Short mmCIF file of all heavy atoms in Angstrom, two decimals:
data_model
loop_
_atom_site.label_atom_id
_atom_site.label_comp_id
_atom_site.label_asym_id
_atom_site.label_seq_id
_atom_site.Cartn_x
_atom_site.Cartn_y
_atom_site.Cartn_z
N ILE Z 26 79.08 -60.07 43.61
CA ILE Z 26 77.67 -60.44 43.67
C ILE Z 26 77.16 -60.53 45.11
O ILE Z 26 75.97 -60.66 45.33
CB ILE Z 26 77.39 -61.75 42.92
CG1 ILE Z 26 78.13 -62.93 43.55
CG2 ILE Z 26 77.71 -61.61 41.45
CD1 ILE Z 26 77.73 -64.27 42.99
N ASN Z 27 78.05 -60.45 46.09
CA ASN Z 27 77.66 -60.51 47.49
C ASN Z 27 77.52 -59.15 48.14
O ASN Z 27 77.16 -59.06 49.30
CB ASN Z 27 78.66 -61.35 48.29
CG ASN Z 27 78.59 -62.81 47.94
OD1 ASN Z 27 77.52 -63.32 47.63
ND2 ASN Z 27 79.72 -63.48 47.96
N LYS Z 28 77.84 -58.09 47.40
CA LYS Z 28 77.73 -56.75 47.97
C LYS Z 28 77.05 -55.82 46.98
O LYS Z 28 77.01 -56.06 45.79
CB LYS Z 28 79.10 -56.20 48.36
CG LYS Z 28 80.00 -55.90 47.20
CD LYS Z 28 81.31 -55.29 47.68
CE LYS Z 28 82.15 -54.91 46.46
NZ LYS Z 28 83.32 -54.16 46.83
N ARG Z 29 76.48 -54.77 47.54
CA ARG Z 29 75.81 -53.74 46.75
C ARG Z 29 76.50 -52.42 47.04
O ARG Z 29 76.53 -51.97 48.19
CB ARG Z 29 74.34 -53.70 47.17
CG ARG Z 29 73.58 -52.55 46.57
CD ARG Z 29 72.11 -52.61 46.88
NE ARG Z 29 71.83 -52.98 48.25
CZ ARG Z 29 70.68 -52.72 48.85
NH1 ARG Z 29 69.72 -52.14 48.21
NH2 ARG Z 29 70.49 -53.08 50.09
N ASP Z 30 77.06 -51.82 46.01
CA ASP Z 30 77.73 -50.52 46.16
C ASP Z 30 76.76 -49.39 45.88
O ASP Z 30 75.98 -49.46 44.93
CB ASP Z 30 78.92 -50.40 45.20
CG ASP Z 30 80.09 -51.27 45.61
OD1 ASP Z 30 80.15 -51.67 46.79
OD2 ASP Z 30 80.95 -51.55 44.75
N VAL Z 31 76.82 -48.37 46.72
CA VAL Z 31 76.00 -47.18 46.54
C VAL Z 31 76.95 -45.98 46.49
O VAL Z 31 77.80 -45.81 47.36
CB VAL Z 31 75.00 -47.00 47.70
CG1 VAL Z 31 74.19 -45.72 47.53
CG2 VAL Z 31 74.09 -48.21 47.80
N GLU Z 32 76.79 -45.18 45.46
CA GLU Z 32 77.61 -43.99 45.25
C GLU Z 32 76.90 -42.80 45.88
O GLU Z 32 75.71 -42.58 45.62
CB GLU Z 32 77.74 -43.79 43.74
CG GLU Z 32 78.79 -42.88 43.28
CD GLU Z 32 78.87 -42.89 41.76
OE1 GLU Z 32 77.82 -42.79 41.09
OE2 GLU Z 32 79.98 -43.00 41.26
N ILE Z 33 77.60 -42.05 46.71
CA ILE Z 33 77.03 -40.86 47.35
C ILE Z 33 77.74 -39.64 46.79
O ILE Z 33 78.96 -39.50 46.93
CB ILE Z 33 77.18 -40.94 48.89
CG1 ILE Z 33 76.46 -42.20 49.39
CG2 ILE Z 33 76.64 -39.69 49.55
CD1 ILE Z 33 76.84 -42.62 50.78
N ILE Z 34 76.97 -38.79 46.13
CA ILE Z 34 77.53 -37.64 45.41
C ILE Z 34 76.94 -36.36 45.98
O ILE Z 34 75.72 -36.20 46.05
CB ILE Z 34 77.20 -37.74 43.91
CG1 ILE Z 34 77.72 -39.06 43.34
CG2 ILE Z 34 77.77 -36.54 43.15
CD1 ILE Z 34 77.18 -39.39 41.97
N TRP Z 35 77.82 -35.47 46.39
CA TRP Z 35 77.39 -34.16 46.89
C TRP Z 35 77.37 -33.20 45.71
O TRP Z 35 78.36 -33.06 45.00
CB TRP Z 35 78.36 -33.65 47.96
CG TRP Z 35 77.90 -32.40 48.60
CD1 TRP Z 35 78.04 -31.12 48.12
CD2 TRP Z 35 77.20 -32.26 49.84
NE1 TRP Z 35 77.46 -30.22 48.97
CE2 TRP Z 35 76.94 -30.89 50.04
CE3 TRP Z 35 76.76 -33.18 50.79
CZ2 TRP Z 35 76.27 -30.41 51.16
CZ3 TRP Z 35 76.09 -32.69 51.90
CH2 TRP Z 35 75.85 -31.33 52.08
N GLU Z 36 76.24 -32.52 45.50
CA GLU Z 36 76.13 -31.52 44.44
C GLU Z 36 75.76 -30.18 45.05
O GLU Z 36 74.95 -30.11 45.96
CB GLU Z 36 75.08 -31.93 43.41
CG GLU Z 36 75.54 -33.03 42.49
CD GLU Z 36 74.61 -33.22 41.29
OE1 GLU Z 36 73.54 -32.61 41.23
OE2 GLU Z 36 74.99 -34.01 40.42
N GLY Z 37 76.33 -29.12 44.49
CA GLY Z 37 75.99 -27.79 44.96
C GLY Z 37 76.99 -27.24 45.95
O GLY Z 37 78.13 -27.68 46.03
N LYS Z 38 76.51 -26.28 46.74
CA LYS Z 38 77.36 -25.61 47.72
C LYS Z 38 77.79 -26.56 48.83
O LYS Z 38 77.18 -27.59 49.06
CB LYS Z 38 76.60 -24.43 48.35
CG LYS Z 38 76.26 -23.33 47.39
CD LYS Z 38 75.52 -22.23 48.14
CE LYS Z 38 75.11 -21.11 47.21
NZ LYS Z 38 74.41 -20.04 47.95
N SER Z 39 78.83 -26.15 49.55
CA SER Z 39 79.30 -26.91 50.70
C SER Z 39 78.25 -26.89 51.81
O SER Z 39 77.33 -26.05 51.78
CB SER Z 39 80.60 -26.29 51.23
OG SER Z 39 80.32 -25.02 51.80
N PRO Z 40 78.36 -27.77 52.80
CA PRO Z 40 77.42 -27.72 53.91
C PRO Z 40 77.36 -26.34 54.57
O PRO Z 40 76.27 -25.82 54.83
CB PRO Z 40 77.95 -28.79 54.88
CG PRO Z 40 78.66 -29.77 53.99
CD PRO Z 40 79.27 -28.93 52.91
N ALA Z 41 78.53 -25.74 54.81
CA ALA Z 41 78.54 -24.40 55.43
C ALA Z 41 77.88 -23.38 54.51
O ALA Z 41 77.20 -22.46 54.98
CB ALA Z 41 79.98 -23.98 55.74
N GLY Z 42 78.07 -23.52 53.20
CA GLY Z 42 77.45 -22.62 52.24
C GLY Z 42 75.93 -22.73 52.22
O GLY Z 42 75.24 -21.83 51.75
N LEU Z 43 75.41 -23.83 52.73
CA LEU Z 43 73.96 -24.04 52.84
C LEU Z 43 73.46 -23.77 54.26
O LEU Z 43 72.33 -24.13 54.60
CB LEU Z 43 73.61 -25.47 52.43
CG LEU Z 43 73.91 -25.82 50.97
CD1 LEU Z 43 73.76 -27.32 50.73
CD2 LEU Z 43 73.01 -25.04 50.04
N ASP Z 44 74.31 -23.16 55.08
CA ASP Z 44 74.00 -22.83 56.47
C ASP Z 44 73.74 -24.09 57.31
O ASP Z 44 72.97 -24.07 58.26
CB ASP Z 44 72.81 -21.87 56.55
CG ASP Z 44 72.73 -21.16 57.91
OD1 ASP Z 44 73.80 -20.87 58.48
OD2 ASP Z 44 71.60 -20.92 58.41
N LEU Z 45 74.39 -25.19 56.95
CA LEU Z 45 74.25 -26.44 57.68
C LEU Z 45 75.41 -26.62 58.65
O LEU Z 45 76.57 -26.53 58.26
CB LEU Z 45 74.24 -27.63 56.72
CG LEU Z 45 73.00 -27.81 55.87
CD1 LEU Z 45 73.26 -28.78 54.74
CD2 LEU Z 45 71.84 -28.29 56.73
N LYS Z 46 75.09 -26.88 59.90
CA LYS Z 46 76.12 -27.24 60.87
C LYS Z 46 76.59 -28.65 60.59
O LYS Z 46 77.77 -28.97 60.65
CB LYS Z 46 75.60 -27.10 62.29
CG LYS Z 46 76.65 -27.35 63.33
CD LYS Z 46 76.18 -26.95 64.70
CE LYS Z 46 77.34 -27.09 65.68
NZ LYS Z 46 77.00 -26.52 66.98
N GLU Z 47 75.61 -29.54 60.29
CA GLU Z 47 75.94 -30.91 59.88
C GLU Z 47 74.81 -31.48 59.03
O GLU Z 47 73.65 -31.11 59.16
CB GLU Z 47 76.22 -31.81 61.09
CG GLU Z 47 75.05 -32.02 62.01
CD GLU Z 47 75.41 -32.83 63.24
OE1 GLU Z 47 76.59 -33.02 63.53
OE2 GLU Z 47 74.47 -33.30 63.89
N PHE Z 48 75.21 -32.38 58.16
CA PHE Z 48 74.30 -33.08 57.27
C PHE Z 48 74.66 -34.56 57.37
O PHE Z 48 75.81 -34.91 57.14
CB PHE Z 48 74.49 -32.58 55.83
CG PHE Z 48 73.57 -33.21 54.82
CD1 PHE Z 48 72.44 -32.55 54.40
CD2 PHE Z 48 73.85 -34.46 54.29
CE1 PHE Z 48 71.59 -33.12 53.46
CE2 PHE Z 48 73.02 -35.05 53.36
CZ PHE Z 48 71.88 -34.37 52.94
N LYS Z 49 73.70 -35.38 57.75
CA LYS Z 49 73.99 -36.80 57.94
C LYS Z 49 73.11 -37.65 57.03
O LYS Z 49 71.92 -37.38 56.88
CB LYS Z 49 73.70 -37.24 59.38
CG LYS Z 49 74.58 -36.62 60.43
CD LYS Z 49 74.17 -37.14 61.80
CE LYS Z 49 74.93 -36.46 62.90
NZ LYS Z 49 74.47 -36.92 64.23
N LEU Z 50 73.72 -38.67 56.46
CA LEU Z 50 72.99 -39.75 55.82
C LEU Z 50 73.04 -40.91 56.80
O LEU Z 50 74.12 -41.31 57.25
CB LEU Z 50 73.65 -40.16 54.50
CG LEU Z 50 73.53 -39.20 53.35
CD1 LEU Z 50 74.30 -39.72 52.15
CD2 LEU Z 50 72.08 -38.98 52.97
N GLU Z 51 71.88 -41.42 57.16
CA GLU Z 51 71.81 -42.52 58.12
C GLU Z 51 71.25 -43.75 57.41
O GLU Z 51 70.23 -43.67 56.74
CB GLU Z 51 70.93 -42.13 59.30
CG GLU Z 51 71.47 -40.92 60.04
CD GLU Z 51 70.58 -40.42 61.16
OE1 GLU Z 51 69.37 -40.75 61.18
OE2 GLU Z 51 71.10 -39.70 62.02
N PHE Z 52 71.94 -44.87 57.58
CA PHE Z 52 71.55 -46.13 56.95
C PHE Z 52 71.19 -47.13 58.04
O PHE Z 52 72.01 -47.46 58.88
CB PHE Z 52 72.70 -46.68 56.10
CG PHE Z 52 73.08 -45.77 54.96
CD1 PHE Z 52 74.09 -44.83 55.13
CD2 PHE Z 52 72.42 -45.83 53.75
CE1 PHE Z 52 74.45 -43.98 54.09
CE2 PHE Z 52 72.78 -44.99 52.71
CZ PHE Z 52 73.79 -44.06 52.87
N ARG Z 53 69.94 -47.61 58.00
CA ARG Z 53 69.48 -48.61 58.97
C ARG Z 53 69.50 -49.98 58.29
O ARG Z 53 68.99 -50.15 57.19
CB ARG Z 53 68.07 -48.26 59.45
CG ARG Z 53 67.52 -49.22 60.47
CD ARG Z 53 66.25 -48.73 61.09
NE ARG Z 53 65.17 -48.66 60.10
CZ ARG Z 53 63.95 -48.20 60.39
NH1 ARG Z 53 63.67 -47.74 61.60
NH2 ARG Z 53 63.03 -48.17 59.45
N ILE Z 54 70.06 -50.94 58.97
CA ILE Z 54 70.22 -52.28 58.43
C ILE Z 54 69.24 -53.24 59.09
O ILE Z 54 69.20 -53.35 60.32
CB ILE Z 54 71.68 -52.80 58.66
CG1 ILE Z 54 72.72 -51.74 58.30
CG2 ILE Z 54 71.91 -54.11 57.92
CD1 ILE Z 54 72.71 -51.28 56.87
N ASN Z 55 68.43 -53.91 58.28
CA ASN Z 55 67.50 -54.95 58.75
C ASN Z 55 66.58 -54.49 59.87
O ASN Z 55 66.38 -55.19 60.86
CB ASN Z 55 68.27 -56.21 59.15
CG ASN Z 55 69.03 -56.82 57.99
OD1 ASN Z 55 68.56 -56.80 56.87
ND2 ASN Z 55 70.22 -57.32 58.26
N ASP Z 56 66.04 -53.28 59.75
CA ASP Z 56 65.08 -52.71 60.71
C ASP Z 56 65.63 -52.56 62.12
O ASP Z 56 64.87 -52.45 63.08
CB ASP Z 56 63.79 -53.53 60.77
CG ASP Z 56 63.02 -53.49 59.47
OD1 ASP Z 56 62.90 -52.40 58.88
OD2 ASP Z 56 62.53 -54.55 59.04
N ASN Z 57 66.94 -52.59 62.27
CA ASN Z 57 67.56 -52.53 63.58
C ASN Z 57 67.99 -51.10 63.87
O ASN Z 57 68.97 -50.61 63.32
CB ASN Z 57 68.77 -53.47 63.62
CG ASN Z 57 69.41 -53.55 64.98
OD1 ASN Z 57 69.14 -52.74 65.86
ND2 ASN Z 57 70.28 -54.53 65.17
#
């Protein structure tokens, strides 16, 4: 009850298959 779990699921082609050099998910905590 003190934590919140978030599941991150990749669907589709690989990053390279989508012509991506990199793909980032960025999480900002408390507006910082």
